[in-house]
Amino acid sequence: MEARKRAILKAVVQEFTTSAVPVGSQILANRYFLNLSSATIRNELSNLADLGYLVQPHTSAGRIPSDQGYRYFVDFLMETEPLPRPVKVFIEEQVQGAPADGQLFVERVAMVVAAVTHNASVVSAAYGPRARIKHLDLVSLDPQAVLLILLMEGNLLRQQVIEISQPVEQGALSRLAGRILKNVAGKDREEVGSLAERLTPGVENEVLSQVLVLLDHFEQGAETLVVHDGVRNLLKQPEFTDTARLHEVLEILEESRHLSALLRQLIMESDLQVVIGSENLTEQLRSCTVVLTTYGPSGRLKGTLGVVGPTRMQYGQIVARLGAVARAASQRLAEIAS
Amino acid sequence: MEARKRAILKAVVQEFTTSAVPVGSQILANRYFLNLSSATIRNELSNLADLGYLVQPHTSAGRIPSDQGYRYFVDFLMETEPLPRPVKVFIEEQVQGAPADGQLFVERVAMVVAAVTHNASVVSAAYGPRARIKHLDLVSLDPQAVLLILLMEGNLLRQQVIEISQPVEQGALSRLAGRILKNVAGKDREEVGSLAERLTPGVENEVLSQVLVLLDHFEQGAETLVVHDGVRNLLKQPEFTDTARLHEVLEILEESRHLSALLRQLIMESDLQVVIGSENLTEQLRSCTVVLTTYGPSGRLKGTLGVVGPTRMQYGQIVARLGAVARAASQRLAEIAS
DNA sequence: ATTAGCACTCCCTCCGCTTGAGTGCCAATT
DNA sequence: AATTGGCACTCAAGCGGAGGGAGTGCTAAT
């Protein structure tokens, strides 16, 4: 595309993302292209519309970017905005002070993302199929019931009540837990699996197989480790004055099953993903953009962190800020979840 | 108030809560009072309005209940609806199958409340100042840093990184944890506090004082243990077609600090609380009703569970269903968090 | 290739009109 | 004395047309 067309497309996106009003040739000529007349710009706009980058809400209105227009903008024209000092400070303070607890950590990060992007945020805990067991403990509830406590890398803590075939009292349980831990500490799902196969039946094996169940549960059910925040930010956007739109989005956000599926399917591919409007496979998100990136202290451990908002969002700013939060979160997690 | 006035007020509330349209004398005469003329009912409606139980949106409209009208209805006229069989089954299945983990348990309960009341739900974890320590463990991170894991009654699990003054390796840590646990198991904040005072300085005391910090943190920061769900249900209600209203409510729901403060202040007083519209001390909830009740396996351990919705809600149904969830949750918690 | 000029389109807002549901009151009825 | 039918009155909501204005597309001139 010629340079001038690109410049005009860029101007349209920038103008529209801040004003939310379809932008006309006059405004572009006055604010962005002082050396061109509005008529020239009209011709270019018309061309850009023919090419599919812009659309007109109705005949006598200005232009707004199509999904394809936003796509071109994000791929070729967008400049990531430098972080304003206060935003940088806010992110660092909040994330550096985030609790070690995996669940609380995720909630904190979601809060920060929502605050700095002024959109809804979505964050999943750092986990992965090769995550290692960090600690394990057994607590006696009644003679045959035991609470299994499992701490994974990323400081994800889970508990599960398990039944054992013969009564064991707390002292023996603690020793058993210590013995098992020696074998499984630092191991991942697969390694523990092969360990369990080699073990003769007995209480130790019963516990191990439950550990496996819990690990698998972790894996599929990353659902429980996805949180969202900042829905209130969406309410301020004109595209959500119609509550029907918002209802669709909330259906996704409040159903963590859907949400985790969405994240998993998207984040496979690359480190920064911008999914614009109709590019979304999820029906309910067709009028939204989802921006996702990953964070994590290591290659094994990956969490997702993202933004959900109207397709009209300030891409440059949001990508920059999301990246900053991701870096801070990775760093903090390396400290506390080593 | 005379019986007939009460009957008419009751009819107005019932009609309005389902239709969301101001109710006129005609409809009442036709559907509820076949032996009275609409003129008679008009007189009664006029009286009820003078008494402050009803208001008129405008001169030539029907009547809607005022906050005072709803208050009278809830105090004297409401009949708790019997649970439909499928609802009963749903509640029991979902709550019986709720995970042992305190956090996940709360999330499950919030989902159930939202589903059966068709409103937004708010649930806090079962906790109290006299909650007892159930288990405690120490995990070595690096030589001087230790992860303290604390399991409380109600299966609330928290972790905190603590610094110790001299390096201790994992084996010794585990023995130390066992020793401390012997002393603190089954004790509450106060008992652990007096224990710590009697202890000579040393690593054991350092750990104990951190346990106290964590317990205090639990206490004030019940904030982290309040979840909400079902905001999407509110979007279907005509009173929230204006997004400004919804924004106010979301400000409260999404700020868990506010939310926990709200719950704490409300639930002090009685076991079932219905706070209607302007009765709310919280500015942003002035057009909402909050219905709260408590649940818990014991007197020591109390959680809150509630509904936030428009003042026009089906009080009888919601109170009944909330109660059913509370009972199921108490029972389930007694099983798993003994 | 650019631009001034101009007719044209169409949304938006305002205004007045009509409709209809509902009220309040009065006089008649039981 | 309570109830009721009758009736004038009120006001929101829906409809349709007029006017304004922002913006376009086209044409002809530069």
Side-chain angles (χ1 to χ4, degrees):
Chain A
M1 206 190 307
E2 309 110 75
R4 198 173 66 183
K5 275 205 180 46
R6 295 159 54 111
I8 289 179
L9 177 54
K10 185 173 173 184
V12 171
V13 171
Q14 280 176 354
E15 189 62 27
F16 184 63
T17 48
T18 55
S19 75
V21 173
V23 1
S25 53
Q26 191 102 234
I27 285 175
L28 289 173
N30 290 342
R31 292 198 202 155
Y32 294 82
F33 303 94
L34 297 168
N35 51 340
L36 289 181
S37 79
S38 66
T40 310
I41 293 177
R42 265 203 297 285
N43 288 331
E44 291 285 36
L45 287 178
S46 182
N47 285 339
L48 282 166
D50 290 344
L51 293 170
Y53 295 110
L54 298 177
V55 292
Q56 235 175 338
H58 56 88
T59 328
S60 69
R63 299 305 205 302
I64 66 180
S66 65
D67 290 348
Q68 186 192 331
Y70 283 124
R71 167 55 55 207
Y72 191 92
F73 177 82
V74 168
D75 288 345
F76 303 114
L77 307 175
M78 177 176 74
E79 296 165 31
T80 56
E81 282 183 26
L83 285 189
R85 183 105 195 102
V87 172
K88 192 171 145 72
V89 170
F90 177 79
I91 292 175
E92 277 164 10
E93 273 180 1
Q94 292 296 321
V95 177
Q96 285 306 315
D101 184 301
Q103 173 85 33
L104 298 184
F105 182 85
V106 169
E107 287 175 10
R108 173 69 66 93
V109 172
M111 183 278 284
V112 173
V113 171
V116 300
T117 63
H118 309 297
N119 274 285
S121 67
V122 165
V123 180
S124 79
Y127 193 71
R130 316 238 25 180
R132 295 166 183 162
I133 294 177
K134 211 159 135 182
H135 193 71
L136 172 156
D137 211 347
L138 298 170
V139 183
S140 171
L141 297 178
D142 44 282
Q144 303 268 110
V146 173
L147 190 70
L148 166 64
I149 298 177
L150 194 64
L151 176 65
M152 300 299 294
E153 279 186 303
N155 287 5
L156 294 175
L157 207 38
R158 276 297 125 94
Q159 42 185 324
Q160 175 118 327
V161 178
I162 65 180
E163 301 284 323
I164 52 176
S165 58
Q166 46 183 294
V168 182
E169 53 85 33
Q170 181 64 55
L173 268 184
S174 296
R175 285 191 297 279
L176 176 63
R179 211 157 60 234
I180 296 178
L181 179 59
K182 270 217 186 67
N183 289 326
V184 301
K187 299 235 169 94
D188 65 23
R189 163 72 179 83
E190 200 183 322
E191 293 166 315
V192 178
S194 63
L195 192 67
E197 279 170 21
R198 275 185 277 115
L199 227 57
T200 51
V203 175
E204 188 161 343
N205 199 356
E206 285 174 34
V207 172
L208 259 194
S209 71
Q210 285 300 325
V211 169
L212 288 175
V213 169
L214 203 48
L215 285 180
D216 290 340
H217 196 87
F218 252 125
E219 186 51 24
Q220 317 148 12
E223 73 226 34
T224 51
L225 303 166
V226 183
V227 306
H228 64 100
D229 197 356
V231 173
R232 66 188 176 286
N233 293 326
L234 298 182
L235 290 174
K236 288 181 207 145
Q237 306 294 349
E239 22 277 285
F240 289 105
T241 44
D242 178 14
T243 49
R245 284 268 188 85
L246 194 61
H247 192 272
E248 291 186 333
V249 176
L250 267 178
E251 261 177 18
I252 300 297
L253 291 183
E254 288 196 333
E255 281 272 11
S256 45
R257 300 179 285 124
H258 295 167
L259 199 52
S260 62
L262 176 76
L263 294 190
R264 203 166 325 168
Q265 126 198 353
L266 283 178
I267 209 53
M268 291 305 172
E269 302 166 26
S270 88
D271 201 45
L272 174 69
Q273 286 241 333
V274 183
V275 188
I276 299 168
S278 53
E279 294 171 6
N280 276 293
L281 297 177
T282 317
E283 184 62 46
Q284 292 101 321
L285 293 177
R286 287 287 163 81
S287 61
C288 291
T289 283
V290 181
V291 183
L292 289 180
T293 187
T294 58
Y295 73 101
S298 73
R300 247 177 310 108
L301 242 48
K302 281 274 168 229
T304 311
L305 120 186
V307 168
V308 178
T311 50
R312 181 188 62 78
M313 56 165 69
Q314 302 202 37
Y315 289 92
Q317 186 186 87
I318 284 176
V319 167
R321 295 183 179 192
L322 203 57
V325 179
R327 274 192 304 283
S330 301
Q331 196 180 325
R332 171 69 177 151
L333 214 49
E335 274 172 44
I336 58 180
S338 50
Chain B
M1 208 192 302
E2 309 110 73
R4 198 174 64 183
K5 274 204 180 48
R6 293 160 55 112
I8 289 180
L9 177 54
K10 184 174 174 183
V12 170
V13 171
Q14 281 177 353
E15 188 62 25
F16 184 63
T17 49
T18 55
S19 74
V21 172
V23 1
S25 53
Q26 193 101 233
I27 285 175
L28 289 174
N30 291 343
R31 293 198 202 156
Y32 294 82
F33 303 95
L34 297 167
N35 51 340
L36 289 182
S37 78
S38 67
T40 310
I41 292 178
R42 267 202 294 288
N43 289 331
E44 292 283 37
L45 287 178
S46 182
N47 284 338
L48 282 165
D50 291 343
L51 293 169
Y53 295 110
L54 298 177
V55 292
Q56 236 175 336
H58 56 87
T59 328
S60 69
R63 299 307 206 300
I64 66 179
S66 64
D67 290 348
Q68 185 191 331
Y70 283 124
R71 167 54 54 206
Y72 192 93
F73 177 81
V74 168
D75 289 345
F76 303 114
L77 307 175
M78 177 176 74
E79 294 165 31
T80 56
E81 280 182 27
L83 285 189
R85 182 104 196 108
V87 172
K88 192 171 144 76
V89 169
F90 177 78
I91 291 174
E92 277 164 11
E93 272 179 3
Q94 292 296 321
V95 177
Q96 285 306 315
D101 184 301
Q103 174 85 34
L104 298 183
F105 182 85
V106 169
E107 287 174 11
R108 174 69 66 93
V109 172
M111 182 278 283
V112 173
V113 171
V116 301
T117 64
H118 310 295
N119 274 286
S121 67
V122 164
V123 180
S124 79
Y127 193 71
R130 315 239 25 182
R132 295 167 182 161
I133 294 176
K134 211 159 134 180
H135 192 69
L136 172 155
D137 212 345
L138 298 171
V139 182
S140 174
L141 296 179
D142 41 285
Q144 304 268 110
V146 173
L147 189 71
L148 165 65
I149 298 177
L150 195 64
L151 175 66
M152 302 299 296
E153 278 186 304
N155 287 7
L156 294 173
L157 207 39
R158 275 296 125 93
Q159 41 185 324
Q160 176 118 326
V161 178
I162 65 180
E163 301 284 321
I164 52 175
S165 57
Q166 44 184 294
V168 182
E169 52 85 35
Q170 180 65 57
L173 268 184
S174 297
R175 285 191 296 280
L176 176 63
R179 212 157 58 236
I180 297 178
L181 179 59
K182 271 219 184 67
N183 289 325
V184 301
K187 300 235 168 92
D188 64 24
R189 163 73 180 84
E190 199 183 322
E191 293 166 316
V192 177
S194 62
L195 192 68
E197 279 170 23
R198 275 186 277 112
L199 225 57
T200 52
V203 175
E204 186 161 345
N205 198 356
E206 285 173 34
V207 172
L208 260 194
S209 71
Q210 286 298 326
V211 169
L212 288 175
V213 169
L214 203 49
L215 285 180
D216 291 339
H217 196 87
F218 251 126
E219 185 53 21
Q220 317 146 14
E223 74 227 33
T224 52
L225 304 165
V226 183
V227 305
H228 64 98
D229 197 356
V231 173
R232 66 187 177 285
N233 293 328
L234 298 182
L235 289 174
K236 287 182 209 146
Q237 305 295 347
E239 23 277 284
F240 289 104
T241 44
D242 177 16
T243 49
R245 283 270 186 83
L246 194 61
H247 192 272
E248 291 185 333
V249 177
L250 267 179
E251 263 177 16
I252 301 297
L253 291 183
E254 287 196 335
E255 282 272 10
S256 46
R257 302 178 284 125
H258 295 165
L259 199 53
S260 63
L262 176 77
L263 295 190
R264 204 168 322 169
Q265 128 199 352
L266 282 178
I267 208 55
M268 291 305 171
E269 303 166 25
S270 88
D271 202 46
L272 175 69
Q273 285 240 333
V274 183
V275 187
I276 299 167
S278 53
E279 295 171 3
N280 276 293
L281 296 178
T282 317
E283 184 61 44
Q284 291 101 319
L285 293 177
R286 288 287 162 81
S287 61
C288 291
T289 284
V290 181
V291 183
L292 289 179
T293 188
T294 59
Y295 73 101
S298 72
R300 245 175 315 108
L301 242 46
K302 280 274 166 230
T304 312
L305 123 183
V307 168
V308 178
T311 49
R312 179 187 62 79
M313 57 166 68
Q314 302 202 38
Y315 290 92
Q317 187 187 86
I318 284 176
V319 167
R321 295 184 178 192
L322 202 58
V325 179
R327 273 193 304 283
S330 302
Q331 196 181 325
R332 171 69 177 152
L333 213 50
E335 273 172 45
I336 58 181
S338 48

